């Protein structure tokens, strides 16, 4: 818990994701089959025909939705690991900027590569944090020959 006190935005994102998942589960009434997928679509999952039309907010809302319990747990574990590191390194404001910019870029890329797929998850933003962390580590460890 010590790391999370130094990373309030990471903690907030973890709580929002878990709360959103629980709320969706209660609202939809199941985690199974087509009812779950339909419910996610109705609640703001990314779907190119809707996202590219008038529902651009789906580029962000899908980042707080997950396809199942395992998907949620794996993403939240990854967010905890890399989020605390990046937020401690950059500060809360820059961390949130990196998170949402990389998440938006991943959303746009997803639209291009999966035109008729329903997309949910924070993976794009989390991979963006991993990429940022890798770039910082390479920069800090780079030495001129």
């Amino acid at each position: 818990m010590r790391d999370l006190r130094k990373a309030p935005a990471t903690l907030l994102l973890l709580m929002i994701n878990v709360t959103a998942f629980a709320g969706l589960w209660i609202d939809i009434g199941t985690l199974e089959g087509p009812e779950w997928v339909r419910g996610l679509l109705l609640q703001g999952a990314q779907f190119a025909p809707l996202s590219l039309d008038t529902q651009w907010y789906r580029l962000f809302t899908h980042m707080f939705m997950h396809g199942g319990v395992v998907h949620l747990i794996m993403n939240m574990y990854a967010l905890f690991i890399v989020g605390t590191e990046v937020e401690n390194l950059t500060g809360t404001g820059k961390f949130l900027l990196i998170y949402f910019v990389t998440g938006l870029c991943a959303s746009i890329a997803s639209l291009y590569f999966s035109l008729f797929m329903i997309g949910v998850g924070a993976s794009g933003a989390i991979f963006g944090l991993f990429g940022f962390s890798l770039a910082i580590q390479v920069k800090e460890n780079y030495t001129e020959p």
Side-chain angles (χ1 to χ4, degrees), residues 1-8 10-11 80 84-85 87-88:
M1 287 304 273
R2 185 190 66 194
D3 288 337
L4 281 177
R5 278 187 244 129
K6 295 179 182 176
T10 301
L11 177 59
F80 171 75
T84 53
E85 176 188 331
E87 188 173 359
N88 286 325

Side-chain angles (χ1 to χ4, degrees), residues 7 23 27 33 40 46 50 58 61 63-64 74 78 95 112 121 133:
D27 186 52
L40 291 175
Q46 181 156 285
L50 299 175
R58 290 173 179 271
T61 56
M63 285 191 262
F64 299 101
M74 296 304 290
F95 165 77
Y112 180 78
S133 178

Side-chain angles (χ1 to χ4, degrees), residues 71-116:
H71 185 208
L72 175 72
I73 290 170
M74 296 304 290
N75 270 355
M76 294 307 96
Y77 176 71
L79 177 58
F80 171 75
I81 296 299
V82 72
T84 53
E85 176 188 331
V86 172
E87 188 173 359
N88 286 325
L89 187 66
T90 63
T92 300
K94 287 182 183 176
F95 165 77
L96 287 171
L97 180 67
I98 295 163
Y99 184 86
F100 285 109
V101 167
T102 59
L104 178 61
C105 290
S107 296
I108 292 167
S110 176
L111 288 176
Y112 180 78
F113 290 108
S114 52
L115 203 56
F116 295 105

Side-chain angles (χ1 to χ4, degrees), residues 31-32 40 42 47 99 133 139:
L31 292 174
E32 305 278 330
L40 291 175
L42 292 173
F47 184 58
Y99 184 86
S133 178
K139 180 181 179 271

